[in-house]
Amino acid sequence: MLRSLLFALLTVSAVAAEKSPVDWIDPQIDTKEPRFFFFSSACRPFGMVNLSPDTKTDHTWKSGYRYYDEKIQCFSHIHGWQIAGLPVMPVAESSNHKDYASKFSHDGEIVKAGYHKIHLDDHGVTAELTSTTRVGFHRYTYQKDEAAHLILDLGRKLMDHEMIDPVAELREDKMAIEGSTTMGPSGRRKKEFTVYYVAEFDHPAEAVGDWKNGKVVVDFGKLGKPLQMKVGLSYTSLEGARRNLAAELPHWDFEKVVQDSYDQWNDWLGRIEVEGGTDAQKTKFYTDLWHAHLGRRIISDVDKSYPDNTGPETVVRKGKRHHYNFDALWGAQWSLNVLWPMAWPELMDDFADTMINMYQNGGMIPRGPSGGNYTFVMIGDPATSFFSAAYHKGIRNWDKQIAFDGLMRNAFPGGIRDHAGYETQKYSNGGGMSYYVNRGYVPLGIPKSQGGHRQGAAQTLEYSYQDWCLAQLARSLDYNEEAELLEKRATNYKNLWDPSIGWMRPRNLDGSWYKNFKPINEQGGFTSPGFVESASAIYTFYIPHDLKGLADLFGSADAMADRLNSNFEKAAPVRFIAEHGNHAISWVDYQNQPSTGLAHVFSHIGKPWLSQYWVREVLDKTFSDITPDGGYNGDEDQGQMGALSALMAIGLFDMTGGAAQNPNFDILAPVFDKVTIKLNPDYHDGGEFTITTKNQSPQNRYIQSAKLNGKSWDSFLLPHSEFEKGGTLELVLGPEPNKAWGTKELPEPRRNGR
Amino acid sequence: MLRSLLFALLTVSAVAAEKSPVDWIDPQIDTKEPRFFFFSSACRPFGMVNLSPDTKTDHTWKSGYRYYDEKIQCFSHIHGWQIAGLPVMPVAESSNHKDYASKFSHDGEIVKAGYHKIHLDDHGVTAELTSTTRVGFHRYTYQKDEAAHLILDLGRKLMDHEMIDPVAELREDKMAIEGSTTMGPSGRRKKEFTVYYVAEFDHPAEAVGDWKNGKVVVDFGKLGKPLQMKVGLSYTSLEGARRNLAAELPHWDFEKVVQDSYDQWNDWLGRIEVEGGTDAQKTKFYTDLWHAHLGRRIISDVDKSYPDNTGPETVVRKGKRHHYNFDALWGAQWSLNVLWPMAWPELMDDFADTMINMYQNGGMIPRGPSGGNYTFVMIGDPATSFFSAAYHKGIRNWDKQIAFDGLMRNAFPGGIRDHAGYETQKYSNGGGMSYYVNRGYVPLGIPKSQGGHRQGAAQTLEYSYQDWCLAQLARSLDYNEEAELLEKRATNYKNLWDPSIGWMRPRNLDGSWYKNFKPINEQGGFTSPGFVESASAIYTFYIPHDLKGLADLFGSADAMADRLNSNFEKAAPVRFIAEHGNHAISWVDYQNQPSTGLAHVFSHIGKPWLSQYWVREVLDKTFSDITPDGGYNGDEDQGQMGALSALMAIGLFDMTGGAAQNPNFDILAPVFDKVTIKLNPDYHDGGEFTITTKNQSPQNRYIQSAKLNGKSWDSFLLPHSEFEKGGTLELVLGPEPNKAWGTKELPEPRRNGR
């Protein structure tokens, strides 16, 4: 008893002396040319508000906060998937109010998870920003002799949409401006979307200027102390914005909110603790983890009301949980779907609730919902993997029947799979589902189809995996005819294997092979015909559910491993990435989703040491940069690349995306001495799962031997059923592969076994 | 010139001397034991209001206005598919207000389309009823020395649902009571449904009694003249009810409304004029035609607002056209889908708009929408035939892409076909679509499935026809892969043909044949296993799209015709009908939809004279009664039996339900000397299509020869492309078959030929 108390005290003090998880986060990593929604500072996990300075506002790509830009354009509150809004700017009376952008420097700038401090040189204003989930909190310190002015610029174009119908009214007590602003339609988000706001001040406005092109200047006079402003948002109503503000931020204590935000992030990210490794690795790891909980944004109010825009008119509905706006889960089987269930299972329930509600509202489980409606981004139905993973990891606070109904409907003509990237037709067959059902593959060149990414080979391969995911769920729910039907379709990938060349090859409309085939498109470009932002060199291995079946097509596991190894060797000189827009020339491309399981493939065909080698190569060469110039290679994709990089760093993965009836993790070597994963007790009773390493070093990436809970463990797979019970995995590492380790087969899991 | 003018004058005067179409209507036909929604008197075409006396109110079946009952229970305003409501009763001050039912007799009762006059013996009140589309108009003449009282009984149970949440408020001027009443959920309509009303009087209320169990008595005092009341309804809001009332009935001229109603029905039904035949035949024909435009009820306001209840909350939306509440279109390919497009094509557009709106609101094109939501009545997706018929007859004021999208989604797992009769689960596979897709048939005994009518053989056969219908639409819309897929499935009926017995036979879950098979179930009962309210004897011929293919299965057209002929001979002694609830014992059953194409089958396998014989037998024996004791054999099914009987009487039909790319009518002998069909010039330019007969008589049911527009016509098929141009079909009839007539093949129509 005494001894354990002593141990506990020691542990606490040891932890206290170290930096907390949140202290490692560096929001400026890879901010050279990010996407508009990439950067966050004043933001809570999945915050409706992510308030931050924008240095460029007029594009989806290479926009937002960019490290090397010289001017701040404004501070805006929303940076999400096809949504943006509410730009403000503190200026001095003497400033240029027309072009109000201001020079700034990184000297004195403080950028943290939950806090941003920056000096606007042209206006002599020091701005500090923090936030709750739905409220942005501003503190502006003006120069002493200047009257404090504030520009509210509701007419400013943001990303790729116009802001229309600006409404701003000064409250009677002059302590707030309330109103709304509407995001005009964009190419991807086809309907308008309105955000309501209440901007409350801690000083009364002395004067409000004329309304010009959606812009208004508020004059607070000379204050002698900082001006504070709280901006509450809502997508349902002005009343909702007032309620959100009142519920989340009823006081004016700026420091307290900064501290609360710090604590919340620390609690949130502290569910995985790492020891050992370099400072750079910890910086990257926690920044990765942080990104995995950003980007996708809550759009529901504190009372869970959210806007449903799937019908002809906006309807405010209420969910059971948070409702989210997010880019497609395309490829998330190798990132978020593996990471979130480990320690944040409640997120799976949240996103399930969002998707099920959208199914009930609009008839389809969505792929990338924005503005309360569908955006039809990318291809396929990645929700199959998501729901199957949630179910099979015991995360089930959602209606299985409704979800299964929606996923089944998506798997046939007219469902979400049939709506290829950004299509606009009402009946779309850009997803080629009639072809897929009728022939077992999607050809190139479907007549009358619409939408982007109409690449039949990639669609066939992804559908094939998604059919397997859904079949797993069907088996577990005891829908066995459905499972049988989907299991047959899960082998459809074989219809694209051309044995004469040994690659997955597109088929033409008449069934013949696509003629000008090359494994990569040496001319470069966005995509190689038949493949989505990628090429056959990569998609040939996109059979996560049946890699042994693929090895049979290759003739042997050796032949397949040689081919993939050769891909990696060809891609190594360019750090395993292609420039976005030039994916077609890559043999391996960790800048984009289709490649993100590649390095882990080897384990599944009897060669775990090759996965151990290439995973570490990719982590080191592709994801280790912690400067503004790299780290995610320009497109972090709303947490996907962060999650992947974090998984590589802790040495866990799941090739099948957790969708199997009895899911397993892939085991690899972590870059840390110890990784502690705290299970969420609402879902899994196991307490903690710990991975320890012996001989961890940059050279020692190979697993020599392993013990699970003290007993020798010779499979590269770790059953989730073991993980969720808590326990310890001990790995002994070394500089040379132990080719015998990891190849032992797991006993066949029971069917419907959970 | 002079001669043709003279002819025109003669024609006009001849017509003027005759009864108008509406004069032939007899609403009391088959009112012995009808369904609650069968009877109409004060009602416009598809009227939201169908105000009439109820003699029995507490059941869906054998309820409503029943001719032989002795008491009127109330006058209620709504009699629809799973909807009922707003009962009122005029009583004298001295009447029993608790049990306010009143004796009545048919002496002095006047019952017409648009007008009902009846004397309530117990209250000494003569009640007269008429209506506009959305307003019921009452005129009550009380005894001189009695104070006029009116009971508004919002708490009365109607059909199979409770009435809940009654609201009634006396308007300040005492000239109206306004409020709402909510139909509680029923087994088929699972959500509550509210109707708003304004009951306006032409005398102020002197006193309003206490509210007791949803019932209130209004006292108007002694009036000395009739009390008039106008009751406007709406399903969207009280304001909607006020608007409907103001728009449709801004005056108090009762006689004018009776006349307007008469004129509207006359215009409506006068689109088909008949000459010759007996008075009884004309009475039946126009009553049939009238029923075909009743039962299915408008639920949208004058401004086209309607309630959408497909989501968690009611949303008021606006359509482009009238929005309807209706029982399934199950079997309508042989009745409404043939009749409506002939002369009322705007109805096809209306119902298409309703179904497309529901698809956009709730994700499924409905089968039997009620209360703004799905009811999942019966099986399959009869809308396939409906939309394909509308399209191929040039009725296209609806969005083809959305409709096709919805119909395709319905044709796969999770769509409407998968929701078998009245199912309640969220994921239903009672429709067996996964089995159908996976195996090509639906077996008996699907585990975990729910809903009624889960009869795999019937489902397989109906799906097979529906696939063909949708394939026709797909070809015309140039969705050729979809068409190919569906055309393959359209042959699925063959999977149920058991050559060892020569019947369509159910399969078990393991693929084996159902053991205790008999073509009819001699024990009787609602259904024979595998079939829906029917038996194999009937469903074996349910291949309207490929009767020649069926003949091949039989071995020859002769063998098939012999079998069917034998069915008819067996069924003749029971007038080709089964008592509802005993369908399983029938060889032919014109009391229910699955049989309603049977007599017409012979024409399609080279024996038109047999169809001419049996169609006339069925018309005479099954549908010719014009007394309260028969005519529709107890279930007219919201216009379906009326439409079928009317088609038989004018000698037109369409075995494929008009769904073919180039649809044809089947030609048979009319019971009239002349039939004039007035085409709607908004859709078809042809003016009129006329059928004349020579030697028409009860004995002369056989076509001897025919001329189309003066030229010899030797096919039993009349292309719609000829019909829509207008013209004349001359038929020479005789007492013996001319077996040579009608068997000439039409030239192969061009594909996508319209």
Side-chain angles (χ1 to χ4, degrees), chain A residues 50-172:
Chain A
N50 63 323
L51 171 62
S52 50
D54 298 318
T55 63
K56 186 164 165 37
T57 57
D58 60 351
H59 206 280
T60 304
W61 294 89
K62 302 184 180 181
S63 186
Y65 177 90
R66 310 201 309 175
Y67 189 83
Y68 295 108
D69 281 345
E70 291 181 355
K71 285 186 172 187
I72 301 295
Q73 301 294 329
C74 59
F75 303 145
S76 76
H77 289 76
I78 301 167
H79 301 80
W81 169 239
Q82 302 298 317
I83 58 174
L86 223 77
V88 299
M89 191 71 157
V91 295
E93 185 171 18
S94 65
S95 300
N96 181 344
H97 287 188
K98 193 165 179 191
D99 175 10
Y100 54 81
S102 169
K103 284 201 177 152
F104 76 107
S105 80
H106 295 298
D107 298 339
E109 185 184 21
I110 301 173
V111 187
K112 291 185 179 182
Y115 178 69
H116 204 137
K117 180 178 185 180
I118 198 162
H119 188 261
L120 302 175
D121 298 343
D122 290 331
H123 309 313
V125 178
T126 297
E128 293 167 282
L129 310 170
T130 187
S131 71
T132 65
T133 300
R134 296 170 184 82
V135 185
F137 199 174
H138 308 237
R139 179 161 67 185
Y140 301 141
T141 307
Y142 295 80
Q143 282 178 319
K144 275 193 180 154
D145 294 331
E146 281 278 12
H149 281 203
L150 175 75
I151 293 178
L152 190 65
D153 193 355
L154 302 185
R156 184 177 187 122
K157 188 182 174 192
L158 292 171
M159 248 168 28
D160 55 353
H161 59 256
E162 305 288 336
M163 298 301 301
I164 55 181
D165 294 334
V167 176
E169 287 184 13
L170 187 65
R171 210 165 65 189
E172 256 185 44

Side-chain angles (χ1 to χ4, degrees), chain B residues 120 220 267 272-273 279 291 309 314 330 396 433 496 620 666 736 740:
Chain B
L120 302 175
F220 293 91
D267 288 349
I272 299 184
E273 286 185 353
D279 281 3
H291 274 296
N309 268 322
T314 305
W330 186 63
R396 301 176 184 178
M433 286 309 295
L496 295 189
D620 288 351
D666 299 13
E736 296 298 330

Side-chain angles (χ1 to χ4, degrees), chain A residues 399 427 439 448 477 481, chain B residues 426 439 448 477 481-482:
Chain A
D399 190 306
Y427 176 74
R439 310 177 175 194
K448 297 189 74 178
L477 297 177
E481 189 79 6
Chain B
K426 290 157 191 168
R439 307 177 176 196
K448 297 189 76 178
L477 297 177
E481 188 80 6
E482 287 79 350

Side-chain angles (χ1 to χ4, degrees), chain A residues 650-670:
Chain A
I650 62 173
L652 290 176
F653 193 69
D654 184 342
M655 177 55 69
T656 66
Q661 280 198 281
N662 294 278
N664 302 303
F665 291 105
D666 299 13
I667 302 169
L668 297 114

Side-chain angles (χ1 to χ4, degrees), chain A residues 312-313 317 363 399 401 405 409 414 426-427 429 434-435 438-439 448 477 479 481-482 484 488, chain B residues 312-313 317 363 399 401 405 409 414 426-427 429 434-435 438-439 448 477 479 481-482 484 488:
Chain A
E313 306 90 16
R317 303 196 190 272
D399 190 306
Q401 279 189 10
D405 191 43
R409 298 195 77 194
K426 290 156 190 169
Y427 176 74
N429 55 0
S434 296
Y435 294 81
N438 197 32
R439 310 177 175 194
K448 297 189 74 178
L477 297 177
Y479 289 119
E481 189 79 6
E482 286 80 348
E484 187 184 309
K488 283 182 201 165
Chain B
E313 306 90 17
R317 302 194 191 272
D399 191 307
Q401 280 190 8
D405 191 44
R409 297 194 77 193
K426 290 157 191 168
Y427 176 74
N429 55 359
S434 297
Y435 293 82
N438 197 32
R439 307 177 176 196
K448 297 189 76 178
L477 297 177
Y479 290 118
E481 188 80 6
E482 287 79 350
E484 186 185 309
K488 283 183 200 165

Side-chain angles (χ1 to χ4, degrees), chain A residues 116-325:
Chain A
H116 204 137
K117 180 178 185 180
I118 198 162
H119 188 261
L120 302 175
D121 298 343
D122 290 331
H123 309 313
V125 178
T126 297
E128 293 167 282
L129 310 170
T130 187
S131 71
T132 65
T133 300
R134 296 170 184 82
V135 185
F137 199 174
H138 308 237
R139 179 161 67 185
Y140 301 141
T141 307
Y142 295 80
Q143 282 178 319
K144 275 193 180 154
D145 294 331
E146 281 278 12
H149 281 203
L150 175 75
I151 293 178
L152 190 65
D153 193 355
L154 302 185
R156 184 177 187 122
K157 188 182 174 192
L158 292 171
M159 248 168 28
D160 55 353
H161 59 256
E162 305 288 336
M163 298 301 301
I164 55 181
D165 294 334
V167 176
E169 287 184 13
L170 187 65
R171 210 165 65 189
E172 256 185 44
D173 65 2
K174 301 193 175 174
M175 299 298 283
I177 287 181
E178 301 183 330
S180 64
T181 164
T182 297
M183 304 163 211
S186 70
R188 295 172 172 87
R189 180 181 42 70
K190 297 184 183 71
K191 291 184 186 174
E192 297 175 357
F193 190 50
T194 297
V195 57
Y196 301 88
Y197 68 90
V198 175
E200 203 167 65
F201 320 115
D202 66 349
H203 290 85
E206 286 198 350
V208 178
D210 285 342
W211 192 252
K212 274 182 199 156
N213 301 324
K215 187 167 96 175
V216 72
V217 183
V218 188
D219 178 2
F220 295 89
K222 290 179 189 169
L223 298 174
K225 59 176 186 166
L227 173 70
Q228 293 195 125
M229 171 168 70
K230 303 187 290 196
V231 181
L233 301 190
S234 165
Y235 295 105
T236 67
S237 64
L238 186 54
E239 193 44 54
R242 291 187 189 121
R243 271 198 304 268
N244 290 341
L245 175 57
E248 292 190 351
L249 194 36
H251 62 78
W252 286 101
D253 186 343
F254 192 90
E255 304 304 338
K256 177 172 163 33
V257 176
V258 173
Q259 184 64 41
D260 287 350
S261 188
Y262 179 93
D263 292 345
Q264 185 180 2
W265 276 117
N266 234 3
D267 288 351
W268 194 256
L269 303 184
R271 296 194 196 175
I272 299 184
E273 285 184 353
V274 294
E275 296 172 35
T278 65
D279 281 3
Q281 283 168 333
K282 283 183 188 148
T283 294
K284 189 61 177 19
F285 175 73
Y286 280 113
T287 305
D288 285 342
L289 219 51
W290 174 68
H291 274 294
H293 299 93
L294 283 169
R296 296 159 204 270
R297 311 287 184 193
I298 293 166
I299 63 164
S300 48
D301 290 343
V302 286
D303 71 354
K304 301 193 174 56
S305 298
Y306 69 92
D308 165 22
N309 268 322
T310 60
E313 306 90 16
T314 305
V315 179
V316 174
R317 303 196 190 272
K318 223 172 221 189
K320 292 199 203 98
R321 310 177 66 96
H322 292 317
H323 190 95
Y324 295 82
N325 188 94

Side-chain angles (χ1 to χ4, degrees), chain A residues 333-532:
Chain A
Q333 71 270 16
W334 294 320
S335 55
L336 301 174
N337 297 4
V338 183
L339 183 72
W340 285 351
M342 284 183 184
W344 303 270
E346 63 266 47
L347 290 176
M348 302 297 279
D349 277 335
D350 274 12
F351 279 74
D353 193 54
T354 294
M355 291 194 277
I356 285 171
N357 281 328
M358 286 197 70
Y359 172 54
Q360 294 187 287
N361 299 338
M364 279 183 280
I365 288 187
R367 197 161 53 217
S370 180
N373 197 8
Y374 303 100
T375 61
F376 303 135
V377 56
M378 307 313 298
I379 61 165
D381 186 13
T384 49
S385 152
F386 180 93
F387 278 100
S388 191
Y391 186 85
H392 291 113
K393 294 188 170 181
I395 307 162
R396 302 177 185 178
N397 293 314
W398 39 274
D399 190 306
K400 287 99 207 155
Q401 279 189 10
I402 300 180
F404 186 67
D405 191 43
L407 294 169
M408 280 296 284
R409 298 195 77 194
N410 273 356
F412 289 94
I416 200 84
R417 296 194 201 181
D418 234 350
H419 295 267
Y422 320 117
E423 61 93 8
T424 56
Q425 279 188 349
K426 290 156 190 169
Y427 176 74
S428 174
N429 55 0
M433 287 310 295
S434 296
Y435 294 81
Y436 187 73
V437 170
N438 197 32
R439 310 177 175 194
Y441 64 89
V442 182
L444 279 177
I446 299 176
K448 297 189 74 178
S449 65
Q450 271 212 352
H453 306 309
R454 285 171 296 136
Q455 305 292 0
Q459 289 169 321
T460 303
L461 298 169
E462 296 200 23
Y463 297 169
S464 176
Y465 164 61
Q466 290 161 2
D467 286 338
W468 177 84
C469 293
L470 190 49
Q472 297 294 301
L473 187 59
R475 285 279 174 220
S476 293
L477 297 177
D478 216 18
Y479 289 119
N480 291 305
E481 189 79 6
E482 286 80 348
E484 187 184 309
L485 190 169
L486 293 162
E487 283 160 2
K488 283 182 201 165
R489 298 200 334 187
T491 66
N492 276 343
Y493 72 87
K494 294 179 183 173
N495 298 330
L496 295 189
W497 178 260
D498 181 355
S500 74
I501 56 168
W503 292 106
M504 294 293 173
R505 182 171 183 174
R507 283 184 185 273
N508 297 314
L509 205 56
D510 64 3
S512 63
W513 293 117
Y514 173 67
K515 280 240 162 55
N516 297 318
F517 175 83
K518 298 256 172 95
I520 65 167
N521 188 345
E522 282 144 8
Q523 279 79 52
F526 210 67
T527 204
S528 189
F531 300 94
V532 172

